[in-house]
Amino acid sequence: MSGRPQAPRETRRLQLDSPREADLEDLHRIYSDARTWTHLPSGRFADLATTRGALDRWREDWRAHGLGAWVAREGGVLVGHGGCAVRQDVFWNLGYRFAPEAQGRGLATELSHAAIAAAREVHPELPVVAYLLEHNAASAVVAEKVGLTLRHRGPDAGNPDPSAVRLVCSDRELSDQELAATMR
């Protein structure tokens, strides 16, 4: 599955570009910061090699599907990373991470609106899905603001915290196959 490649985008405050090798250290600064992972501490990137592996996967998303998560710059400074990436050829996964100093200012909502619009241009037949932990109230608010509806609430399989609850929100009803794919 490959779509029409997406050009860089601009929102009111953000410049959104596909990730480049030169972004590695800035991305590591965000993904290795414990403050970025308050809702899932086990997700923190412990070393540069982990960030490099993620960067390689993010760049592959762009090569394979013409769209993936962007790096987000505000005033030329890399402040976050996120967007939509195809998962299992079944759905668009909407996700993001912002540096702590960039959080709480509506940037995730701004990026998410742009990401959903781009996903609908590339593969409108695929649902846009955001899955998040129930205790991550800020992400739930973003999902609602960008028009995603709660479709599932249940255990977060594979989470080191056995009491963790996963919420699955999407832009449309999900088939059993689509919902099952969001659980992997």
Side-chain angles (χ1 to χ4, degrees), residues 18-22 54-64:
S18 59
R20 302 179 314 249
E21 183 65 29
L55 177 60
D56 290 345
R57 287 187 304 277
W58 298 330
R59 293 176 76 193
E60 179 56 30
D61 287 338
W62 279 91
R63 284 189 289 276

PDB file of all heavy atoms in Angstrom, residues 18-22 54-64:
ATOM      1  N   SER A  18       8.630  15.702   7.132  1.00  0.00           N
ATOM      2  CA  SER A  18       9.008  14.312   7.393  1.00  0.00           C
ATOM      3  C   SER A  18      10.345  14.311   8.139  1.00  0.00           C
ATOM      4  O   SER A  18      11.173  15.197   7.952  1.00  0.00           O
ATOM      5  CB  SER A  18       9.097  13.525   6.085  1.00  0.00           C
ATOM      6  OG  SER A  18      10.047  14.102   5.224  1.00  0.00           O
ATOM      7  N   PRO A  19      10.539  13.324   9.017  1.00  0.00           N
ATOM      8  CA  PRO A  19      11.774  13.301   9.813  1.00  0.00           C
ATOM      9  C   PRO A  19      13.001  13.024   8.945  1.00  0.00           C
ATOM     10  O   PRO A  19      12.933  12.276   7.968  1.00  0.00           O
ATOM     11  CB  PRO A  19      11.542  12.179  10.817  1.00  0.00           C
ATOM     12  CG  PRO A  19      10.323  11.465  10.396  1.00  0.00           C
ATOM     13  CD  PRO A  19       9.631  12.265   9.349  1.00  0.00           C
ATOM     14  N   ARG A  20      14.106  13.645   9.338  1.00  0.00           N
ATOM     15  CA  ARG A  20      15.383  13.467   8.645  1.00  0.00           C
ATOM     16  C   ARG A  20      16.426  12.980   9.647  1.00  0.00           C
ATOM     17  O   ARG A  20      16.266  13.130  10.851  1.00  0.00           O
ATOM     18  CB  ARG A  20      15.859  14.798   8.060  1.00  0.00           C
ATOM     19  CG  ARG A  20      14.899  15.452   7.104  1.00  0.00           C
ATOM     20  CD  ARG A  20      15.475  16.785   6.593  1.00  0.00           C
ATOM     21  NE  ARG A  20      16.039  17.591   7.666  1.00  0.00           N
ATOM     22  CZ  ARG A  20      15.530  18.731   8.107  1.00  0.00           C
ATOM     23  NH1 ARG A  20      14.428  19.210   7.587  1.00  0.00           N
ATOM     24  NH2 ARG A  20      16.124  19.401   9.081  1.00  0.00           N
ATOM     25  N   GLU A  21      17.494  12.453   9.111  1.00  0.00           N
ATOM     26  CA  GLU A  21      18.603  11.993   9.951  1.00  0.00           C
ATOM     27  C   GLU A  21      19.083  13.119  10.867  1.00  0.00           C
ATOM     28  O   GLU A  21      19.405  12.895  12.032  1.00  0.00           O
ATOM     29  CB  GLU A  21      19.754  11.502   9.070  1.00  0.00           C
ATOM     30  CG  GLU A  21      20.932  10.944   9.833  1.00  0.00           C
ATOM     31  CD  GLU A  21      20.617   9.675  10.610  1.00  0.00           C
ATOM     32  OE1 GLU A  21      19.743   8.902  10.202  1.00  0.00           O
ATOM     33  OE2 GLU A  21      21.267   9.466  11.654  1.00  0.00           O
ATOM     34  N   ALA A  22      19.085  14.339  10.367  1.00  0.00           N
ATOM     35  CA  ALA A  22      19.554  15.491  11.151  1.00  0.00           C
ATOM     36  C   ALA A  22      18.671  15.774  12.366  1.00  0.00           C
ATOM     37  O   ALA A  22      19.085  16.511  13.263  1.00  0.00           O
ATOM     38  CB  ALA A  22      19.619  16.729  10.253  1.00  0.00           C
ATOM     39  N   ALA A  54      13.752   4.001  16.062  1.00  0.00           N
ATOM     40  CA  ALA A  54      12.437   4.607  15.846  1.00  0.00           C
ATOM     41  C   ALA A  54      12.465   5.534  14.644  1.00  0.00           C
ATOM     42  O   ALA A  54      11.548   5.514  13.809  1.00  0.00           O
ATOM     43  CB  ALA A  54      11.989   5.355  17.104  1.00  0.00           C
ATOM     44  N   LEU A  55      13.497   6.343  14.533  1.00  0.00           N
ATOM     45  CA  LEU A  55      13.617   7.256  13.394  1.00  0.00           C
ATOM     46  C   LEU A  55      13.634   6.473  12.085  1.00  0.00           C
ATOM     47  O   LEU A  55      12.969   6.867  11.109  1.00  0.00           O
ATOM     48  CB  LEU A  55      14.880   8.120  13.534  1.00  0.00           C
ATOM     49  CG  LEU A  55      15.176   9.079  12.380  1.00  0.00           C
ATOM     50  CD1 LEU A  55      14.049  10.081  12.182  1.00  0.00           C
ATOM     51  CD2 LEU A  55      16.502   9.802  12.635  1.00  0.00           C
ATOM     52  N   ASP A  56      14.351   5.370  12.048  1.00  0.00           N
ATOM     53  CA  ASP A  56      14.374   4.535  10.841  1.00  0.00           C
ATOM     54  C   ASP A  56      12.974   4.026  10.504  1.00  0.00           C
ATOM     55  O   ASP A  56      12.570   4.022   9.338  1.00  0.00           O
ATOM     56  CB  ASP A  56      15.324   3.349  11.016  1.00  0.00           C
ATOM     57  CG  ASP A  56      16.785   3.767  11.046  1.00  0.00           C
ATOM     58  OD1 ASP A  56      17.107   4.917  10.660  1.00  0.00           O
ATOM     59  OD2 ASP A  56      17.619   2.936  11.482  1.00  0.00           O
ATOM     60  N   ARG A  57      12.198   3.606  11.517  1.00  0.00           N
ATOM     61  CA  ARG A  57      10.821   3.128  11.278  1.00  0.00           C
ATOM     62  C   ARG A  57       9.929   4.267  10.789  1.00  0.00           C
ATOM     63  O   ARG A  57       9.121   4.084   9.885  1.00  0.00           O
ATOM     64  CB  ARG A  57      10.251   2.499  12.551  1.00  0.00           C
ATOM     65  CG  ARG A  57      10.844   1.132  12.874  1.00  0.00           C
ATOM     66  CD  ARG A  57      10.136   0.451  14.037  1.00  0.00           C
ATOM     67  NE  ARG A  57      10.112   1.233  15.261  1.00  0.00           N
ATOM     68  CZ  ARG A  57      11.102   1.301  16.157  1.00  0.00           C
ATOM     69  NH1 ARG A  57      12.220   0.639  15.947  1.00  0.00           N
ATOM     70  NH2 ARG A  57      10.973   2.032  17.252  1.00  0.00           N
ATOM     71  N   TRP A  58      10.087   5.448  11.394  1.00  0.00           N
ATOM     72  CA  TRP A  58       9.272   6.593  10.988  1.00  0.00           C
ATOM     73  C   TRP A  58       9.566   6.981   9.540  1.00  0.00           C
ATOM     74  O   TRP A  58       8.657   7.296   8.782  1.00  0.00           O
ATOM     75  CB  TRP A  58       9.504   7.771  11.917  1.00  0.00           C
ATOM     76  CG  TRP A  58       9.114   7.516  13.341  1.00  0.00           C
ATOM     77  CD1 TRP A  58       8.113   6.682  13.789  1.00  0.00           C
ATOM     78  CD2 TRP A  58       9.708   8.071  14.503  1.00  0.00           C
ATOM     79  NE1 TRP A  58       8.064   6.705  15.164  1.00  0.00           N
ATOM     80  CE2 TRP A  58       9.027   7.544  15.627  1.00  0.00           C
ATOM     81  CE3 TRP A  58      10.764   8.962  14.715  1.00  0.00           C
ATOM     82  CZ2 TRP A  58       9.354   7.886  16.932  1.00  0.00           C
ATOM     83  CZ3 TRP A  58      11.090   9.304  16.016  1.00  0.00           C
ATOM     84  CH2 TRP A  58      10.392   8.768  17.108  1.00  0.00           C
ATOM     85  N   ARG A  59      10.840   6.931   9.173  1.00  0.00           N
ATOM     86  CA  ARG A  59      11.207   7.262   7.787  1.00  0.00           C
ATOM     87  C   ARG A  59      10.686   6.197   6.830  1.00  0.00           C
ATOM     88  O   ARG A  59      10.271   6.508   5.722  1.00  0.00           O
ATOM     89  CB  ARG A  59      12.718   7.443   7.688  1.00  0.00           C
ATOM     90  CG  ARG A  59      13.165   8.691   8.490  1.00  0.00           C
ATOM     91  CD  ARG A  59      14.641   8.871   8.507  1.00  0.00           C
ATOM     92  NE  ARG A  59      15.056   9.387   7.209  1.00  0.00           N
ATOM     93  CZ  ARG A  59      16.297   9.420   6.804  1.00  0.00           C
ATOM     94  NH1 ARG A  59      17.264   8.967   7.571  1.00  0.00           N
ATOM     95  NH2 ARG A  59      16.601   9.921   5.617  1.00  0.00           N
ATOM     96  N   GLU A  60      10.663   4.945   7.268  1.00  0.00           N
ATOM     97  CA  GLU A  60      10.104   3.868   6.438  1.00  0.00           C
ATOM     98  C   GLU A  60       8.604   4.058   6.228  1.00  0.00           C
ATOM     99  O   GLU A  60       8.078   3.772   5.148  1.00  0.00           O
ATOM    100  CB  GLU A  60      10.398   2.493   7.055  1.00  0.00           C
ATOM    101  CG  GLU A  60       9.834   1.328   6.265  1.00  0.00           C
ATOM    102  CD  GLU A  60      10.283   1.273   4.804  1.00  0.00           C
ATOM    103  OE1 GLU A  60      11.396   1.728   4.475  1.00  0.00           O
ATOM    104  OE2 GLU A  60       9.484   0.777   3.967  1.00  0.00           O
ATOM    105  N   ASP A  61       7.886   4.535   7.246  1.00  0.00           N
ATOM    106  CA  ASP A  61       6.458   4.839   7.072  1.00  0.00           C
ATOM    107  C   ASP A  61       6.263   5.786   5.893  1.00  0.00           C
ATOM    108  O   ASP A  61       5.366   5.589   5.073  1.00  0.00           O
ATOM    109  CB  ASP A  61       5.876   5.497   8.330  1.00  0.00           C
ATOM    110  CG  ASP A  61       5.689   4.541   9.491  1.00  0.00           C
ATOM    111  OD1 ASP A  61       5.597   3.317   9.266  1.00  0.00           O
ATOM    112  OD2 ASP A  61       5.643   5.034  10.641  1.00  0.00           O
ATOM    113  N   TRP A  62       7.098   6.810   5.813  1.00  0.00           N
ATOM    114  CA  TRP A  62       6.994   7.778   4.717  1.00  0.00           C
ATOM    115  C   TRP A  62       7.282   7.115   3.372  1.00  0.00           C
ATOM    116  O   TRP A  62       6.571   7.353   2.396  1.00  0.00           O
ATOM    117  CB  TRP A  62       7.962   8.949   4.955  1.00  0.00           C
ATOM    118  CG  TRP A  62       7.395   9.939   5.905  1.00  0.00           C
ATOM    119  CD1 TRP A  62       7.536   9.961   7.264  1.00  0.00           C
ATOM    120  CD2 TRP A  62       6.561  11.039   5.579  1.00  0.00           C
ATOM    121  NE1 TRP A  62       6.846  11.012   7.795  1.00  0.00           N
ATOM    122  CE2 TRP A  62       6.239  11.700   6.780  1.00  0.00           C
ATOM    123  CE3 TRP A  62       6.061  11.545   4.379  1.00  0.00           C
ATOM    124  CZ2 TRP A  62       5.438  12.828   6.824  1.00  0.00           C
ATOM    125  CZ3 TRP A  62       5.269  12.679   4.416  1.00  0.00           C
ATOM    126  CH2 TRP A  62       4.960  13.307   5.629  1.00  0.00           C
ATOM    127  N   ARG A  63       8.323   6.281   3.320  1.00  0.00           N
ATOM    128  CA  ARG A  63       8.654   5.602   2.053  1.00  0.00           C
ATOM    129  C   ARG A  63       7.542   4.646   1.637  1.00  0.00           C
ATOM    130  O   ARG A  63       7.186   4.570   0.466  1.00  0.00           O
ATOM    131  CB  ARG A  63       9.982   4.853   2.193  1.00  0.00           C
ATOM    132  CG  ARG A  63      11.194   5.752   2.144  1.00  0.00           C
ATOM    133  CD  ARG A  63      12.494   4.962   2.067  1.00  0.00           C
ATOM    134  NE  ARG A  63      12.810   4.269   3.308  1.00  0.00           N
ATOM    135  CZ  ARG A  63      13.423   4.829   4.350  1.00  0.00           C
ATOM    136  NH1 ARG A  63      13.798   6.083   4.313  1.00  0.00           N
ATOM    137  NH2 ARG A  63      13.670   4.126   5.437  1.00  0.00           N
ATOM    138  N   ALA A  64       6.981   3.920   2.573  1.00  0.00           N
ATOM    139  CA  ALA A  64       5.992   2.892   2.252  1.00  0.00           C
ATOM    140  C   ALA A  64       4.611   3.448   1.946  1.00  0.00           C
ATOM    141  O   ALA A  64       3.884   2.889   1.124  1.00  0.00           O
ATOM    142  CB  ALA A  64       5.898   1.887   3.408  1.00  0.00           C
TER     143      ALA A  64
END
